Amino acid sequence: MNWGIFEGILSGVNKYSTAFGRIWLSLVFIFRLLVYLVTAERVWSDDHKDFDCNTRQPGCSNVCFDQFFPVSHVRLWALQLILVTCPSLLVVMHVAYREAREKKHRETAGEGGGRLYLNPGKKRGGLWWTYVCSLVFKAGVDAAFLYVFHSFYPKYTLPPVVKCHAAPCPNTVDCFISKPSEKNIFTFFMVATAVVCILLNLVELAYLVNKRCRECLAARRARATHKGHHPDCVTSKDLLSDDLIYLGSDPHPPLLPDHPQDYAKKTIL
């Protein structure tokens, strides 16, 4: 599988991410993807071939291997990396949709027709919710896979010897796992990096929510202060200036309009 495609696409996420998001992306590619490509695939490449049981009963080794390794580590990690990076692609696609919509508006209204988005990559409106949902999904995927790994392999470790008594084995046989210590080291490393990624996602989520709440509180205080001095005046904060802009083709509103919403067009996405 060509993982370079994901790296090339997700590199554009840095332009729309916070500092925590950039750290998360670097951690995914350096400590998870590169480790997976360079070492993990090679360590687990011979797991079935070198899984040896002390019996010559035909089919016994295959049945015992399937019993103790229902899903390979490398395939679970590959699926985890794909799912955990897909939400970042949705953020890029949302920004691309905004840019295409802005371009179409300019072609229709002309250069003097104003703009739909002051900054298409700014996390406001629908893009903010897309980014927040992507953080929740990424943290949930990593947590789910940690649970799956723990269910298949208790304490995330592989014993050097396992006992198997499944049919068609004639009796309880001993089966030996290839390079268990080396596999345990890489397993713990991948688990630790997944935990760090979950923490980064939660910290970034808390940062975005806290920032948005502080902005809303500041807007309410400014609105209350301004109305206290000018009770009949409507400020730009009343129109949610982050999501509303005036189009250049519209006539300029009067200083004190009766219905200020008639002079503004709200951008949902």
Side-chain angles (χ1 to χ4, degrees), residues 194-205:
V195 171
V196 174
C197 286
I198 293 175
L199 294 178
L200 285 174
N201 288 326
L202 296 179
V203 170
E204 187 176 11
L205 178 63

Side-chain angles (χ1 to χ4, degrees), residues 13 16-25 28 32 83-92 123 126-144 194-212:
V13 181
Y16 317 115
S17 301
T18 64
F20 299 105
R22 295 186 182 96
I23 296 174
W24 177 88
L25 192 62
V28 168
R32 297 179 72 175
L83 292 179
V84 87
T85 52
C86 283
S88 299
L89 298 179
L90 295 179
V91 176
V92 176
K123 291 182 283 295
L127 184 59
W128 187 87
W129 285 105
T130 300
Y131 197 91
V132 167
C133 291
S134 71
L135 294 177
V136 175
F137 185 82
K138 289 187 290 188
V141 167
D142 275 333
V195 171
V196 174
C197 286
I198 293 175
L199 294 178
L200 285 174
N201 288 326
L202 296 179
V203 170
E204 187 176 11
L205 178 63
Y207 167 77
L208 290 175
V209 174
N210 180 59
K211 181 180 178 181
R212 191 62 174 171

Side-chain angles (χ1 to χ4, degrees), residues 1-7 33 36-37 41 74-75 77-83 85-86:
M1 183 174 184
N2 188 4
W3 291 95
I5 298 177
F6 285 91
E7 182 178 4
L33 184 58
Y36 170 81
L37 293 176
E41 282 190 325
V74 291
R75 290 174 177 82
W77 283 329
L79 182 61
Q80 181 181 6
L81 289 173
I82 291 174
L83 292 179
T85 52
C86 283

Side-chain angles (χ1 to χ4, degrees), residues 64-72 76 151-153:
C64 292
F65 182 84
D66 182 70
Q67 179 179 346
F68 290 101
F69 295 94
V71 182
S72 174
L76 274 177
S151 300
F152 287 157
Y153 312 104

